Amino acid sequence: TYFVEGSDGEEYCFRANLGNEKPEIELVIEKLTSDLARKNDIKSNNILHVDCSRKKYSFDFQIQEKLSGENPEHNFRGTQKYYDKISFELGQIIAKLSLIQFDGFGRFDKNTALTENRLVTTMKSNYEYITLELDTQVEEILKAKLIDSKRADAILKVFIDSKELLDINQGSMVHYDLADHNLFYDPITFSIVGIFDWEAVCVSDPLLDLASAPTWKTLYERESVLIEGFKSITQLPDNYKERMDLYRLRTVIWKAVHNIRFNILNKERSERFYNALKPFGI
């Protein structure tokens, strides 16, 4: 990633992905989703240009407007009161995303995004998306001895028994990576300037964002403030707590697999995984 000054005197973000064997179509999907978010009054980065053709250059790249402000994960200059203000606004952003609805669920189809410049889902049910690769990921955690076979079976049973709860009728746009390192805030007003990095975007239950956002590193407790922000825009379903417990568990499962593969599983991350099991008595 480079920050450059254009001939117009404005600063831009040039982001290139090097070394990928195949073109990274996700860069196109990121532009389409960030454009859609901004059209729906959601503060997001503005991706001006994407090129995955590799006709002129041998790599994929984006050109974005540079977001102003500070990143709270790397440079937060306020008290908990101001951090809570950011979290509350993040909850409002999740609520606004919930109003952007699609037919179907899951990740967006790459070919349609590239050739037709539009977003089309790839799965018929939310349950299908949430349980995708669940068996293999639980097996990988088992092999790493983070859990025993009894716990592994119990985790799989939780999701099997929860199919009716997870099979929601309508899917909404979910960012699914709302970490502090993926947003900028104004250090004077402590308002969010914009969210970015739409690489994990999908269509699912908006509660997935509410449940997963606090699983990233935060400076203060975030979940209750996110919920309050969400409720200031739209209502929560009666069974939101049960669904959020499931989505939190599903999120920490794939995160545990990632941590195991890259040998970055530490005490804090392990505790987050075990804490997500507690609501289910596992």
Side-chain angles (χ1 to χ4, degrees):
T1 301
Y2 293 90
F3 294 99
V4 299
E5 183 177 315
S7 58
D8 56 2
E10 298 292 329
E11 284 193 279
Y12 298 92
C13 173
F14 177 84
R15 177 186 170 198
N17 285 350
L18 308 177
N20 292 332
E21 184 178 344
K22 297 181 180 179
E24 189 169 358
I25 312 304
E26 286 82 359
L27 297 182
V28 177
I29 294 174
E30 280 192 83
K31 174 170 170 50
L32 293 173
T33 51
S34 65
D35 286 348
L36 184 58
R38 290 195 324 281
K39 287 179 181 178
N40 285 271
D41 192 34
I42 296 167
K43 296 176 181 177
S44 175
N45 59 327
N46 184 13
I47 301 172
L48 302 170
H49 181 72
V50 178
D51 190 343
C52 296
S53 68
R54 301 193 179 180
K55 293 179 180 179
K56 190 172 182 180
Y57 305 103
S58 60
F59 54 86
D60 312 316
F61 66 92
Q62 293 175 338
I63 299 173
Q64 308 181 25
E65 290 182 352
K66 182 183 177 182
L67 283 173
S68 60
E70 300 285 354
N71 184 282
E73 183 164 310
H74 304 295
N75 192 13
F76 184 69
R77 303 178 182 179
T79 62
Q80 180 176 352
K81 172 185 175 182
Y82 294 113
Y83 190 81
D84 287 348
K85 181 178 181 182
I86 292 172
S87 296
F88 185 88
E89 190 172 344
L90 195 59
Q92 292 182 315
I93 287 173
I94 294 171
K96 290 180 179 180
L97 283 170
S98 75
L99 304 177
I100 306 175
Q101 299 179 336
F102 291 85
D103 293 327
F105 296 88
R107 301 297 295 270
F108 292 111
D109 181 70
K110 295 180 183 180
N111 184 62
T112 307
L114 182 64
T115 60
E116 300 181 27
N117 205 41
R118 63 189 184 98
L119 298 168
V120 175
T121 55
T122 55
M123 296 184 179
K124 293 182 179 180
S125 75
N126 186 51
Y127 182 78
E128 180 186 3
Y129 170 63
I130 294 299
T131 58
L132 181 68
E133 298 182 354
L134 179 63
D135 290 4
T136 57
Q137 290 176 0
V138 170
E139 181 67 23
E140 196 162 342
I141 295 171
L142 174 62
K143 288 181 180 179
K145 299 183 178 179
L146 196 61
I147 54 174
D148 57 22
S149 58
K150 183 178 179 181
R151 271 183 156 179
D153 291 341
I155 290 171
L156 294 176
K157 187 175 186 302
V158 161
F159 286 94
I160 292 171
D161 293 345
S162 302
K163 185 177 186 301
E164 185 176 348
L165 190 61
L166 295 176
D167 262 340
I168 58 174
N169 294 324
Q170 184 68 62
S172 301
M173 193 159 81
V174 172
H175 183 281
Y176 206 20
D177 197 2
L178 290 175
D180 276 353
H181 54 257
N182 284 335
L183 66 89
F184 277 90
Y185 75 97
D186 185 320
I188 297 176
T189 64
F190 290 92
S191 291
I192 293 177
V193 175
I195 59 174
F196 56 94
D197 194 353
W198 294 85
E199 188 175 352
V201 68
C202 61
V203 175
S204 184
D205 189 334
L207 298 180
L208 181 58
D209 262 340
L210 279 181
S212 63
T215 66
W216 299 99
K217 181 180 179 181
T218 60
L219 297 176
Y220 300 98
E221 186 276 329
R222 167 161 282 173
E223 183 175 299
S224 63
V225 188
L226 285 176
I227 290 172
E228 289 305 311
F230 187 95
K231 286 163 55 178
S232 73
I233 300 291
T234 188
Q235 288 184 330
L236 284 165
D238 292 337
N239 58 6
Y240 78 92
K241 180 67 169 59
E242 293 85 352
R243 277 154 62 180
M244 284 182 64
D245 286 341
L246 286 163
Y247 294 136
R248 186 182 303 106
L249 176 57
R250 184 63 187 97
T251 299
V252 298
I253 287 172
W254 71 253
K255 282 190 175 185
V257 170
H258 175 83
N259 295 335
I260 291 165
R261 289 175 181 175
F262 289 90
N263 197 28
I264 55 173
L265 184 66
N266 56 27
K267 182 180 178 181
E268 180 183 358
R269 289 167 177 157
S270 296
E271 287 179 352
R272 195 172 288 136
F273 172 77
Y274 292 128
N275 285 336
L277 295 175
K278 289 180 180 179
F280 306 98
I282 300 176

